[in-house]
Amino acid sequence: MIKPLHALLLPGLAALLSACVQTTTTVGGGAVGTAGTSPSVAAVNPAPLAGDCSTLTALGPRYDATVDAATFDAALFDAAVLGLTNQRRCAIGVPPLAADSGLRQAASVHSADMVALNFYDHTSPAPGRTKMTDRLNGAGVSYRAAAENIGRASRLKLIGGKPYTVTDRATCSYAYDGVPIAAHSYRSLAEKLVQSWEGSSQHRQNLLGTSYTRLGTGASFKQNPQTCGDFIATQNFAA
């Protein structure tokens, strides 16, 4: 089940602004970061180059591993979202995005804050991490333009609007017409989120547009007795 999503972008996509979009007039790696941030952010996290669609490969079998909240593999999840995002981009003739560990770090921190501080927004109550730019600077990311998508998906492969039964909530045993509902794999969790972002015009622009060249995605698990828990995800884009 996908809950409401939000998108955040910096200047360059102003025509697509909506109630869930915030803008800032200050962008760039030279912006003042949070405490501990090196002023030479380009040296801390140099921007990798994006590849081309001829080198794109399908996700392998390791992405079919079940997502375990206790042993969540952040790198595998990030790679799954990147791979599926790039499949979409290449299908419409848009260059693929490059992985960026700094963007993934900033995204992971924001997802963890949303879980720990019980909020769901681009603006964070965490000290020093209020805005997306604070988080990017804190992770040492070099950028001239950036954007952010957030989303959430249940731990189980639930289908929105379809009634299910709970066999044993303590062990996350849910079923559709007596058939157990499986937990997401890294592939299916990434697919669920990418599909949802793709279905919203603002998120789709961030996901499939040409304004950005790099991507990093993070997620954090949040307890939810109604769905056996949710993954709260953040996508950060930059150029």
Side-chain angles (χ1 to χ4, degrees):
M1 183 187 334
I2 294 287
K3 300 295 182 66
L5 302 172
H6 295 270
L8 172 70
L9 74 165
L10 296 181
L13 298 176
L16 294 170
L17 295 183
S18 68
C20 65
V21 175
Q22 302 170 23
T23 61
T24 177
T25 56
T26 303
V27 299
V32 177
T34 54
T37 300
S38 166
S40 180
V41 293
V44 175
N45 186 46
L49 298 176
D52 63 78
C53 291
S54 67
T55 63
L56 194 67
T57 57
L59 299 183
R62 68 192 184 112
Y63 295 96
D64 294 320
T66 299
V67 180
D68 185 332
T71 58
F72 183 71
D73 189 329
L76 191 62
F77 172 71
D78 178 47
V81 173
L82 177 67
L84 293 172
T85 296
N86 281 340
Q87 285 178 16
R88 260 67 166 194
R89 293 174 67 85
C90 288
I92 62 172
V94 177
L97 301 171
D100 188 301
S101 60
L103 290 174
R104 186 181 86 191
Q105 178 185 338
S108 297
V109 166
H110 189 51
S111 286
D113 282 344
M114 284 193 283
V115 170
L117 301 177
N118 195 32
F119 73 99
Y120 185 66
D121 204 288
H122 296 289
T123 301
S124 172
R129 297 194 289 273
T130 301
K131 299 179 295 183
M132 177 185 66
T133 49
D134 296 331
R135 300 186 288 273
L136 297 185
N137 291 333
V141 176
S142 173
Y143 60 96
R144 57 179 175 76
E148 181 176 87
N149 288 343
I150 61 174
R152 62 195 298 167
S154 61
R155 177 182 182 180
L156 301 179
K157 294 180 180 179
L158 299 177
I159 302 171
K162 184 175 181 178
Y164 56 81
T165 57
V166 180
T167 308
D168 186 350
R169 200 177 297 277
T171 60
C172 285
S173 297
Y174 290 48
Y176 286 130
D177 299 323
V179 179
I181 302 173
H184 272 295
S185 66
Y186 286 91
R187 183 194 308 273
S188 65
L189 179 62
E191 180 71 35
K192 191 74 170 177
L193 287 162
V194 169
Q195 271 186 351
S196 181
W197 284 321
E198 193 177 20
S200 159
S201 61
Q202 182 58 64
H203 300 89
R204 181 183 174 87
Q205 181 63 38
N206 289 341
L207 196 77
L208 302 179
T210 58
S211 297
Y212 310 107
T213 57
R214 294 135 52 204
L215 173 64
T217 307
S220 194
F221 183 72
K222 183 175 184 176
Q223 297 290 344
N224 182 344
Q226 298 303 314
T227 63
C228 194
D230 299 321
F231 284 97
I232 311 301
T234 303
Q235 261 194 325
N236 282 145
F237 303 82

